[in-house]
Amino acid sequence: MIAQLQTPKLNLTHSLPYTVEGLVQVFTGPHRCFFTSVMAQALRIAGQGAPVLAVQFLKGGINQGHQHPVRLGQNLDWVRCDLPRCIDKADLDELETRSIAQLWEYVQNAVLSGSYALVILDELSLAVNLGLIPEAEVLALIESKPHDLDIILTGPSMPTAILDVADQVTEIRRS
């Protein structure tokens, strides 16, 4: 059993002399192997008291959906698509396509709400490359995100336009 600690909110009487800009980070490479290292970062940030949203677009099999997020600790919401299987090809039926579209709409609303300090969009590049999420909408979301929000995008073969707007790109490779 893990004890959960309540993190007190700081009531600062003064503002910081600078603003902290959120980063757009990309983790990419030839294989689907990024989630462990990204999740470690999410757990660290959530453990410091900041709210985190981790979204897996193409992982299914547990009938979770955005209506039933898993809460890890007090500050980490983990959402998977409401699919009966994991997606690796563009051969989706109408229900699966609708489920991914609903999750994408949920993500856009969550990002724009400013409720999170970090949002992770796992395997986003695959969803874009399979034509499930429009690249233009991803770029628009990045452009309109709250200034202090960090976003991590993962997946192999990340589109060049997304790489171009990223503040940091990490290419993971096997050696």
Side-chain angles (χ1 to χ4, degrees), residues 7 23 25 27 35-54 72-76 117-118 120 150 152 168:
T7 305
L23 297 177
Q25 300 175 57
F27 286 77
F35 196 65
T36 303
S37 58
V38 170
M39 203 59 174
Q41 188 172 349
L43 287 168
R44 179 180 54 79
I45 291 169
Q48 293 172 350
V52 176
L53 174 64
L72 301 174
Q74 294 172 330
N75 297 310
L76 179 55
L118 171 63
I120 298 166
D150 288 318
I152 297 177
Q168 173 184 318

Side-chain angles (χ1 to χ4, degrees), residues 143-174:
E143 179 67 30
S144 62
K145 75 173 186 64
H147 76 280
D148 58 343
L149 174 67
D150 288 318
I151 294 182
I152 297 177
L153 312 170
T154 75
S157 304
M158 189 67 68
T160 303
I162 295 174
L163 293 174
D164 289 343
V165 299
D167 297 302
Q168 173 184 318
V169 177
T170 301
E171 185 176 357
I172 300 172
R173 59 190 171 129
R174 293 182 181 168

Side-chain angles (χ1 to χ4, degrees), residues 85-104:
R85 63 186 179 101
C86 293
I87 303 300
D88 59 355
K89 298 180 189 123
D91 61 342
L92 279 66
D93 63 28
E94 183 180 328
L95 182 66
E96 292 170 329
T97 302
R98 190 170 0 138
S99 180
I100 291 175
Q102 289 172 346
L103 182 57
W104 176 239

